[in-house]
């Protein structure tokens, strides 16, 4: 079997993958493999594409895992930079249109700093939605899930079967719930001396 001249020369191998998971802002992902790159993985946005740079030696399974990790990192960076209260309200309106045919219409959507045991809350009588500031910086799909959860409460007040059927429309519900459960579990772990720069 002959060696790949592109790989041997250190020129990146390029491959465009399928659509990214729902909730990502980019339309396509391009993976570039490089023989010069030994350990590091990085990613950036280029127009409507996400470019992920990986070492050439990575297996396809490692590539898939790292693409997901990097998409989550980019989404977290973007949500930290972009989402003020006005953007949060626009996002809620867009999500309501996409998943609930625009039926969930909040009067206000805003970040709050006084919710440390909840990710979000909704007062259906007032039409107000509040999201915990702790969500800022989390992946976009997680923020979208919490927003959809609170939007669904404008349509169905409790957590009965009708409520959960509404959320089934969002394809990343289980992943977002798992992410949030992991954050809660990590907060409960004992902090050992020497960990986290102590």
């Amino acid at each position: 079997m002959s060696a790949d001249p592109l790989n041997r020369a250190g020129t990146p191998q390029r491959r465009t993958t399928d659509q990214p998971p729902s909730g990502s802002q980019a339309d396509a992902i391009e993976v570039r493999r490089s023989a010069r790159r030994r350990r590091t993985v990085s990613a950036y946005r280029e127009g409507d594409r996400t470019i992920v740079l990986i070492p050439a030696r990575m297996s396809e399974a490692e590539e898939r895992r790292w693409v997901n990790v990097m998409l989550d990192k980019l989404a977290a960076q973007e949500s930290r930079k972009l989402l003020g209260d006005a953007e949060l309200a626009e996002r809620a309106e867009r999500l309501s249109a996409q998943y609930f045919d625009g039926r969930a219409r909040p009067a206000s959507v805003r970040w709050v700093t006084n919710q440390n045991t909840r990710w979000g809350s909704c007062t259906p009588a007032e039409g107000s939605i509040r999201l915990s500031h702790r969500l800022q910086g989390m992946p976009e799909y997680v923020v979208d899930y919490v927003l959809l959860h609170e939007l669904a409460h404008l349509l169905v007040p409790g957590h009965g079967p009708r409520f959960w059927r509404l959320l089934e429309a969002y394809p990343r519900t289980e992943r977002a719930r798992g992410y949030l459960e992991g954050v809660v579990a990590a907060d409960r772990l004992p902090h050992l001396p020497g960990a986290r720069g102590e």
Side-chain angles (χ1 to χ4, degrees):
M1 180 163 78
S2 64
D4 180 353
L6 287 178
N7 193 18
R8 190 178 63 235
T11 304
Q13 297 171 323
R14 297 178 183 199
R15 182 168 61 84
T16 301
T17 65
D18 296 333
Q19 297 290 327
S22 173
S24 175
Q25 288 182 340
D27 290 335
I29 302 164
E30 182 178 317
V31 176
R32 295 181 185 169
R33 290 176 172 265
S34 171
R36 290 184 195 161
R37 189 173 281 269
R38 297 286 177 214
R39 286 182 238 147
T40 61
V41 176
S42 61
Y44 60 92
R45 303 276 194 217
E46 190 175 84
D48 64 349
R49 305 174 75 71
T50 300
I51 311 300
V52 181
L53 307 169
I54 65 171
R57 64 170 175 71
M58 273 194 182
S59 68
E60 286 187 30
E62 289 174 309
E63 175 185 317
R64 281 191 301 275
R65 184 177 76 80
W66 276 105
V67 164
N68 284 330
V69 166
M70 298 313 290
L71 286 174
D72 287 349
K73 273 188 168 187
L74 285 173
Q77 290 169 356
E78 290 163 355
S79 74
R80 258 195 310 271
K81 286 190 284 192
L82 302 176
L83 290 184
D85 288 348
E87 292 87 4
L88 199 60
E90 288 172 16
R91 188 181 211 128
E93 186 178 327
R94 195 168 59 249
L95 288 167
S96 176
Q98 184 176 356
Y99 294 100
F100 303 144
D101 297 321
R103 293 177 295 135
R105 294 188 187 110
S108 68
V109 182
R110 61 192 173 94
W111 295 108
V112 294
T113 57
N114 63 350
Q115 287 187 157
N116 293 316
T117 58
R118 300 172 152 200
W119 296 114
S121 62
C122 175
T123 308
E126 298 172 4
S128 63
I129 292 176
R130 295 158 306 279
L131 263 58
S132 172
H133 71 287
R134 295 179 307 136
L135 288 165
Q136 291 175 321
M138 288 190 187
E140 195 174 270
Y141 72 91
V142 175
V143 176
D144 285 353
Y145 165 73
V146 176
L147 263 176
L148 279 165
H149 184 106
E150 301 310 330
L151 285 166
H153 280 308
L154 294 175
L155 304 173
V156 179
H159 287 105
R162 230 176 104 224
F163 174 84
W164 293 111
R165 272 195 302 276
L166 280 174
L167 284 180
E168 284 175 5
Y170 184 57
R172 299 184 87 181
T173 291
E174 288 307 312
R175 185 173 183 194
R177 290 182 72 188
Y179 185 99
L180 293 170
E181 288 169 7
V183 170
V184 169
D187 284 346
R188 291 182 182 147
L189 290 174
H191 298 289
L192 301 174
R196 294 186 182 183
E198 292 173 7

